Amino acid sequence: MSRLMKSSTDKALFGVCAGFAEFFRIEPIIVRLIFIFLPVSIFAYLILAALLPKNPSLY
């Protein structure tokens, strides 16, 4: 089972959306659009950016 981590290869700002996309095996653009259109997601994004670890295997 994989862990939810920030992406270190496919990131626009902090890699949170790409990390979610890798975890759920979907395209990152879908996750980015969800984060853009949900008003509360800006706060969630910033919290996740601070809390999620970076993926160490992809440096």
Side-chain angles (χ1 to χ4, degrees), residues 1 3 5 7 9 15 21 23 26 28-29 36-37 42 46-49 55 58:
M1 179 128 185
R3 288 183 56 194
M5 298 182 178
S7 176
T9 57
F23 183 76
I26 57 176
I29 190 69
I36 288 172
F37 289 115
I42 295 170
L46 293 173
I47 291 170
L48 289 170
N55 192 344
L58 297 176

Side-chain angles (χ1 to χ4, degrees), residues 12-41:
L13 292 176
F14 296 108
V16 174
C17 292
F20 269 98
E22 290 172 5
F23 183 76
F24 291 112
R25 295 187 177 124
I26 57 176
E27 291 293 320
I29 190 69
I30 295 170
V31 180
R32 288 180 180 129
L33 288 173
I34 291 170
F35 269 87
I36 288 172
F37 289 115
L38 292 178
V40 73
S41 64

